[in-house]
């Protein structure tokens, strides 16, 4: 496809699978929804058993409101909330099961969103456009600042609410924040640039491992361009790009 200044040159498409228009998609128009999504207060889960206190920080992405809602119910609804005496709680087996189901749902959601959302934001900037390329570093600054501000609120305001107001409120506020994050994230769908699927990353990873073992005794050529599988500038895997050669990890 011939290059057009109105469209991206990195192979990204819009939500309708059409070539991404630079003026209508991506850039900070889309990233504000991503940065806004990761700005969420985490919650502090505390289990008190006898004289031992265990604190676990619970962070969540937009796959986790269900777990946070269930955790909120387990801390506030009669029947799900364990009976406590002298600051020591005695949960039943069913109450313990509900609590752990909630925790595992949160873990599942966090594992799904955390490794993807930062790179998804980076996809909103065209690497072939120098102006957009410079903006990408700014995006990562705002991205990590949003995460840390959310963590700061969680370790101060939310902790105070949990200890002085109640655990129901302490879990309920993050649950509502996560639900709002879901709506906020998907409201920007028409602005997102999407990378075309390039096959299984696991398959390519194992291919690299096998190739490195088979060619461990092959002499590295002086001409680094001979190390690539194709002679043209583009990678033959759709949605991927060639990596610059490096002598690290040799």
């Amino acid at each position: 496809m011939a290059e057009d200044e109105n469209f991206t040159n990195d192979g990204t498409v819009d939500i309708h699978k059409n070539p991404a228009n630079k003026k209508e998609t991506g850039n900070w128009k889309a990233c504000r929804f991503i940065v806004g999504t990761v700005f969420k207060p985490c919650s502090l889960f505390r289990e008190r058993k006898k004289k031992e206190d265990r604190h676990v920080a619970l962070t969540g992405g937009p796959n986790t409101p269900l777990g946070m809602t269930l955790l909120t119910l387990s801390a506030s609804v009669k029947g799900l909330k364990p009976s406590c005496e002298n600051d020591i709680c005695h949960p039943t087996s069913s109450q313990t099961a509900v609590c752990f189901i909630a925790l595992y749902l949160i873990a599942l959601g966090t594992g799904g969103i955390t490794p993807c959302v930062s790179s998804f934001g980076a996809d909103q900037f065209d690497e072939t456009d120098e102006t957009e390329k410079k903006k990408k570093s700014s995006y990562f600054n705002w991205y990590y600042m949003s995460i840390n501000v959310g963590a700061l609120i969680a370790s101060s305001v939310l902790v105070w609410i949990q200890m002085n107001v109640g655990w129901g409120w302490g879990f309920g506020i993050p649950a509502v924040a996560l639900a709002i994050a879901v709506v906020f994230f998907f409201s920007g769908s028409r602005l997102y640039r999407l990378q075309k699927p390039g096959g299984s990353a696991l398959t390519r990873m194992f291919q690299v491992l096998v190739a490195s073992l088979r060619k461990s005794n092959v002499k590295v050529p002086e001409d680094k361009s001979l190390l690539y599988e194709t002679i043209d500038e583009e990678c033959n895997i759709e949605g991927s790009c060639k990596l610059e050669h490096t002598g690290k990890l040799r």
Side-chain angles (χ1 to χ4, degrees), residues 9 11 24 32 41 63-64 69 78 86 136 139-140 177 209 224-225 247:
N9 297 315
E24 297 177 359
R32 62 187 177 186
N63 294 327
T64 58
T69 300
K78 186 177 180 181
N86 297 326
K136 182 184 289 190
Y139 156 73
F140 281 109
L209 292 175
K224 305 305 180 185
S225 64

Side-chain angles (χ1 to χ4, degrees), residues 22-109:
K22 283 187 176 182
K23 297 180 180 180
E24 297 177 359
T25 63
N27 223 309
W28 273 109
K29 293 189 298 292
C31 283
R32 62 187 177 186
F33 292 96
I34 299 171
V35 171
T37 299
V38 298
F39 173 72
K40 72 272 182 186
C42 65
S43 181
L44 184 71
F45 173 73
R46 185 185 185 199
E47 180 185 5
R48 168 155 286 194
K49 185 178 180 181
K50 295 183 180 178
K51 294 183 179 179
E52 178 187 3
D53 284 345
R54 289 187 287 176
H55 297 77
V56 182
L58 303 177
T59 59
N63 294 327
T64 58
L66 179 61
M68 281 304 307
T69 300
L70 191 58
L71 194 62
T72 303
L73 295 176
S74 70
S76 55
V77 175
K78 186 177 180 181
L80 294 177
K81 181 180 179 180
S83 59
C84 299
E85 183 180 354
N86 297 326
D87 213 15
I88 298 176
C89 298
H90 307 281
T92 63
S93 57
S94 59
Q95 290 170 341
T96 301
V98 169
C99 180
F100 275 96
I101 289 173
L103 293 176
Y104 283 122
L105 283 174
I106 294 171
L108 181 64

Side-chain angles (χ1 to χ4, degrees), residues 150-164:
L152 176 63
I153 294 174
S155 60
S156 55
V157 178
L158 276 183
V159 169
W160 185 90
I161 292 174
Q162 289 174 340
M163 304 306 295
N164 295 278

Side-chain angles (χ1 to χ4, degrees), residues 66-213:
L66 179 61
M68 281 304 307
T69 300
L70 191 58
L71 194 62
T72 303
L73 295 176
S74 70
S76 55
V77 175
K78 186 177 180 181
L80 294 177
K81 181 180 179 180
S83 59
C84 299
E85 183 180 354
N86 297 326
D87 213 15
I88 298 176
C89 298
H90 307 281
T92 63
S93 57
S94 59
Q95 290 170 341
T96 301
V98 169
C99 180
F100 275 96
I101 289 173
L103 293 176
Y104 283 122
L105 283 174
I106 294 171
L108 181 64
T110 302
I113 190 68
T114 302
C116 302
V117 69
S118 60
S119 57
F120 181 60
D123 288 342
Q124 307 310 308
F125 301 94
D126 188 353
E127 275 284 334
T128 65
D129 187 307
E130 288 299 323
T131 303
E132 292 195 11
K133 189 175 181 180
K134 292 178 181 178
K135 293 179 180 179
K136 182 184 289 190
S137 60
S138 176
Y139 156 73
F140 281 109
N141 290 336
W142 282 98
Y143 173 81
Y144 287 109
M145 189 192 77
S146 296
I147 292 177
N148 287 309
V149 170
L152 176 63
I153 294 174
S155 60
S156 55
V157 178
L158 276 183
V159 169
W160 185 90
I161 292 174
Q162 289 174 340
M163 304 306 295
N164 295 278
V165 180
W167 288 95
W169 282 99
F171 290 143
I173 292 173
V176 172
L178 289 171
I180 294 173
V182 171
V183 176
F184 191 67
F185 179 79
F186 284 105
S187 64
S189 296
R190 62 183 181 83
L191 299 174
Y192 295 145
R193 295 176 184 173
L194 310 174
Q195 288 283 357
K196 295 179 181 177
S200 172
L202 291 177
T203 300
R204 296 206 298 273
M205 182 181 72
F206 284 114
Q207 287 176 334
V208 170
L209 292 175
V210 172
S212 63
L213 291 174

